[in-house]
Amino acid sequence: MSLQALQPRDDIYGAYDHSYLQSNGPKQHTQSPIVTGTSVLAIKFKDGVVIAADNLASYGSLARFTDVKRLRPFNSTTIIGVGGDVSDMQYLDRMLNSLDISENYGSAGHALNAKNLHTYLAKVMYKRRSDVNPLWNAILVAGLDGDDKPFLSSVDLLGTTFSSPTLATGYGAHLAQPLLRKLVEDEDKVKDVTREAAVEAIKQAMKVLFYRDARSMDKYSLAVVTKEGGVELKEDEQLEGQSWAFAETIRGYGTQVV
């Protein structure tokens, strides 16, 4: 059967309007994200870094995709967490996969550590911003630096970078950061924080975000990066011990007696 026989008949449906395919108009870039992921949280402890992000990708306000992994290991000492536009996250994933391959097959004989990767991503994000075509993401880079010390830093769609013993993107910057800072106020306190305490703090912060952030869900990914264990990633963690009793005291929730 010919291709022409499969096409709609012009005498019935009219001729196809090829103006839809014209490419001589102005070049357009993303004006705002469509499918997005919410907060990414991370905290340092004495031997490494803990990072977490839920598995939901929202289409506007619709909880559309419930199995989107937003933590991406780069090598045995580095992992990144990405919030914001999912399509731009997929672009970054392909770019980092290409970088990883070139590093592994290169002749330099060394691997990029977390600090190196953060510098690379900061340059990429700033270049795209300068082209007025930003990648609509907020990224946390967690892992170990060249001295095998815990490293945690962020970069946003403008190429702005920031380092701290606790970091969060999106709504987590407002709700989770105060909770994480109770455990680690500054760099001097990192040496006193155990792995167990750091993991528990992240889990509690993820629970608070599930209570309060309409773009979050109760299934999430969590990773721990240490020198001894490398990147230990669990992608289908479930929030436990939820209690909605506090909601009864919120004005506007459920049936209210005035």
Side-chain angles (χ1 to χ4, degrees):
M1 184 178 293
S2 67
L3 180 61
Q4 187 174 6
L6 298 174
Q7 295 176 343
R9 292 171 51 182
D10 290 350
D11 58 331
I12 297 177
Y13 299 101
Y16 182 74
D17 184 1
H18 292 277
S19 63
Y20 292 115
L21 300 177
Q22 63 181 348
S23 58
N24 58 353
K27 187 175 181 180
Q28 296 182 344
H29 299 317
T30 302
Q31 301 297 306
S32 62
I34 302 299
V35 180
T36 59
T38 184
S39 308
V40 183
L41 314 181
I43 185 172
K44 289 183 182 179
F45 64 97
K46 62 180 181 179
D47 297 319
V49 186
V50 182
I51 185 171
D54 69 32
N55 296 345
L56 177 67
S58 300
Y59 180 79
S61 60
L62 174 68
R64 180 62 182 85
F65 304 102
T66 58
D67 194 31
V68 176
K69 309 300 192 298
R70 297 189 291 120
L71 298 186
R72 199 257 190 214
F74 181 73
N75 53 32
S76 61
T77 64
T78 308
I79 189 169
I80 69 168
V82 185
D85 190 72
V86 171
S87 61
D88 285 346
M89 179 187 73
Q90 293 169 334
Y91 168 80
L92 284 169
D93 185 66
R94 291 192 298 270
M95 182 186 68
L96 291 178
N97 187 56
S98 177
L99 176 65
D100 195 21
I101 292 172
S102 64
E103 285 295 312
N104 287 332
Y105 287 91
S107 57
H110 63 82
L112 295 179
N113 57 52
K115 188 174 183 179
N116 299 146
L117 184 63
H118 177 258
T119 300
Y120 177 83
L121 287 172
K123 302 296 184 184
V124 169
M125 301 297 278
Y126 184 76
K127 195 269 181 186
R128 289 291 297 260
R129 169 254 184 152
S130 300
D131 291 341
V132 200
N133 184 23
L135 296 171
W136 291 76
N137 298 112
I139 305 170
L140 297 189
V141 181
L144 306 175
D145 62 16
D147 298 322
D148 290 331
K149 294 181 179 179
F151 176 87
L152 177 60
S153 197
S154 68
V155 58
D156 63 12
L157 78 166
L158 300 178
T160 305
T161 62
F162 186 75
S163 296
S164 175
T166 64
L167 286 175
T169 71
Y171 208 40
H174 305 284
L175 292 184
Q177 272 284 50
L179 301 175
L180 299 177
R181 284 173 177 164
K182 282 185 177 181
L183 181 64
V184 187
E185 294 181 359
D186 51 42
E187 289 287 350
D188 294 334
K189 298 293 180 63
V190 172
K191 65 181 183 299
D192 301 323
V193 180
T194 64
R195 170 176 174 155
E196 292 74 18
V199 170
E200 183 61 26
I202 288 290
K203 288 183 176 180
Q204 290 300 318
M206 293 297 292
K207 187 185 298 185
V208 170
L209 286 175
F210 179 57
Y211 288 153
R212 296 291 186 173
D213 185 359
R215 306 293 176 266
S216 65
M217 69 178 301
D218 57 351
K219 189 171 73 172
Y220 63 99
S221 301
L222 185 143
V224 180
V225 186
T226 60
K227 181 179 179 180
E228 294 75 18
V231 177
E232 303 170 54
L233 175 60
K234 299 178 181 178
E235 293 186 322
D236 291 301
E237 293 291 279
Q238 189 79 27
L239 290 178
E240 299 176 352
Q242 299 175 35
S243 173
W244 293 91
F246 72 90
E248 296 179 1
T249 64
I250 298 176
R251 189 174 183 83
Y253 175 84
T255 303
Q256 299 291 312
V257 179
V258 180

